[in-house]
Amino acid sequence: MIRFECDYAEGAAPQILERLTQTNLEQTPGYAVDKHCQRARELIREACGAPQAAVEFLVGGTQTNQTVISAALRPYQGVLCAQTGHINTHETGATEPTGHKVLALPSQDGRITPEQVERFCAAHWADPTREHTVQPGMLYLSQPTETGLLYSRAELEGFRAVCGRYGMYLYIDGARCGYGLAAPGNDVELTDLARLTDVFYIGGTKVGALFGEAVVISNPALQRDFRYCIKRHGGMLAKGRLLGLQFEALFEDNLYRQLGRHGVEQALRIREACLRRGLSLHFASHTNQQFPILTREQQAHLEKKYTFTLWEPLDDGRAVVRFCASWATDPAAVDALTADLLSLP
């Protein structure tokens, strides 16, 4: 089987494996205070144009989201997100056991708007009985979204303004950040994310690392005691240098952007084949995830050779499926898939 169901099916970029092997017998302090973690922090701050930012490393996305959200919010506060947001749909409720309700906003395509957030917050603060409800304390966005779409710089500036008016933190989940940076039409850079958010993370797990996410904290109020929160949530890896080494390699010689670009290039080849065959695309994604609509017969035909994700069944018997390319997707595998897409009955 040729696998297109996710972007973390492969191990790690060869450059990372080489770095891990080269340093295997080094003796370093634990808990991400070693020289490799410090060097990775310097490289990330430089890439983000944020010399005062704190940079910390965690193992995975769910752990990162849970740690950041619980570190930022007061006990009576919740976090706003799109109804398709990862914290609302794909983390087994990990945020809510920390005492913070996920406040989901309706969305047709995985995106929300600054105007939606404004209306929600205005209604909360205009309610004379608001202390009986959860106070919105943070806005969670994904860049790219779970549906492969992107927010523009202007939209992020709009969210920043709303969060400023209502005293909320702005947090961006960058699990697939590398693919967003590489997407055609994207105008949001790491410098924008560092400037406009209070905290965001750069995903490694889905963009070439064995595992790991780099949390970039611009807001000094969130920097204080954040490492206590990492430890409390079980995220302080004893061999923390394994995280730092990977981000050190990713942010040297533009490797992170190269890996993201490869995944996007292969996904866009799949997109083009879908369009040439006349398949409808459920979301207008230009990142590494593509969402064609297939008949049952077409789906069954492709499933003989490929693994991919059933995203959503439709009322007419067809289904939205997802093909996901990665930093390591073999162009020959895409050659085969595109040929089979073009020849679908």
Side-chain angles (χ1 to χ4, degrees), residues 274-339:
C274 290
L275 293 175
R276 285 175 58 193
R277 172 56 185 78
L279 300 175
S280 298
L281 294 169
H282 198 59
F283 304 114
S285 168
H286 290 86
T287 59
N288 72 312
Q289 302 178 88
Q290 298 299 318
F291 299 85
I293 299 174
L294 303 178
T295 66
R296 290 177 180 173
E297 292 75 18
Q298 291 170 335
Q299 185 179 342
H301 179 74
L302 291 173
E303 284 174 341
K304 296 175 183 177
K305 189 173 176 181
Y306 306 96
T307 59
F308 48 92
T309 302
L310 171 62
W311 189 261
E312 179 186 355
L314 300 178
D315 292 339
D316 62 4
R318 296 183 301 163
V320 182
V321 303
R322 183 186 73 167
F323 291 97
C324 194
S326 83
W327 58 273
T329 294
D330 185 349
V334 178
D335 290 342
L337 176 60
T338 56

Side-chain angles (χ1 to χ4, degrees), residues 267-278:
L268 293 182
R269 293 178 60 204
I270 297 170
R271 173 186 170 83
E272 176 61 23
C274 290
L275 293 175
R276 285 175 58 193
R277 172 56 185 78

Side-chain angles (χ1 to χ4, degrees), residues 8-313:
Y8 44 88
E10 299 89 358
Q15 297 90 329
I16 288 177
L17 293 179
E18 182 180 2
R19 187 68 57 89
L20 290 168
T21 300
Q22 289 171 345
T23 61
N24 186 50
L25 294 180
E26 282 187 13
Q27 291 184 319
T28 61
Y31 308 113
V33 297
D34 60 275
K35 64 181 181 181
H36 298 289
C37 289
Q38 299 293 40
R39 174 64 176 149
R41 290 182 175 102
E42 292 170 6
L43 291 168
I44 289 171
R45 289 188 188 107
E46 181 179 352
C48 292
Q52 303 306 315
V55 179
E56 299 293 348
F57 303 106
L58 287 98
V59 173
T62 298
Q63 180 189 69
T64 301
N65 288 333
Q66 184 191 61
T67 302
V68 169
I69 292 167
S70 63
L73 297 184
R74 301 293 299 275
Y76 47 82
Q77 292 179 320
V79 53
L80 286 163
C81 73
Q83 64 187 27
T84 52
H86 210 261
I87 59 172
N88 189 49
T89 62
H90 214 256
E91 294 187 354
T92 323
T95 293
E96 294 184 341
T98 67
H100 303 293
K101 185 175 178 60
V102 175
L103 304 167
L105 297 175
S107 171
Q108 295 299 314
D109 63 1
R111 289 161 31 97
I112 54 176
T113 67
E115 292 75 20
Q116 277 182 283
V117 179
E118 173 79 40
R119 287 194 296 270
F120 186 98
C121 294
H124 174 85
W125 290 106
D127 183 353
T129 64
R130 57 182 174 270
E131 66 271 14
H132 296 280
T133 62
V134 175
Q135 181 189 109
M138 173 182 277
L139 172 61
Y140 167 100
L141 304 172
S142 297
Q143 179 78 349
T145 67
E146 288 72 20
T147 56
L149 304 182
L150 294 168
Y151 291 104
S152 68
R153 184 187 299 126
E155 288 171 318
L156 293 183
E157 288 171 344
F159 287 122
R160 175 73 271 169
V162 175
C163 289
R165 281 195 291 276
Y166 293 99
M168 296 193 302
Y169 293 115
L170 176 55
Y171 170 44
I172 288 184
D173 178 328
R176 294 186 170 96
C177 180
Y179 303 119
L181 293 171
N186 170 59
D187 68 350
V188 175
E189 291 295 327
L190 289 175
T191 51
D192 298 307
L193 295 178
R195 173 176 62 90
L196 294 170
T197 70
D198 296 284
V199 54
F200 75 99
Y201 81 84
I202 299 169
T205 301
K206 296 177 179 177
V207 195
L210 279 172
F211 52 84
E213 327 297 335
V215 182
V216 181
I217 310 172
S218 298
N219 189 324
L222 295 180
Q223 295 175 8
R224 180 178 176 180
D225 296 339
F226 188 75
R227 282 176 60 84
Y228 287 86
C229 298
I230 295 175
K231 180 67 176 183
R232 190 169 185 265
H233 285 274
M236 191 164 283
L237 191 65
K239 295 183 181 180
R241 68 114 174 264
L242 298 178
L243 293 165
L245 279 165
Q246 295 184 77
F247 280 95
E248 186 179 31
L250 286 170
F251 277 81
E252 288 177 351
D253 302 323
N254 242 7
L255 178 61
Y256 191 70
R257 289 183 179 264
Q258 292 170 24
L259 297 175
R261 189 178 307 118
H262 176 82
V264 170
E265 288 172 351
Q266 300 311 309
L268 293 182
R269 293 178 60 204
I270 297 170
R271 173 186 170 83
E272 176 61 23
C274 290
L275 293 175
R276 285 175 58 193
R277 172 56 185 78
L279 300 175
S280 298
L281 294 169
H282 198 59
F283 304 114
S285 168
H286 290 86
T287 59
N288 72 312
Q289 302 178 88
Q290 298 299 318
F291 299 85
I293 299 174
L294 303 178
T295 66
R296 290 177 180 173
E297 292 75 18
Q298 291 170 335
Q299 185 179 342
H301 179 74
L302 291 173
E303 284 174 341
K304 296 175 183 177
K305 189 173 176 181
Y306 306 96
T307 59
F308 48 92
T309 302
L310 171 62
W311 189 261
E312 179 186 355

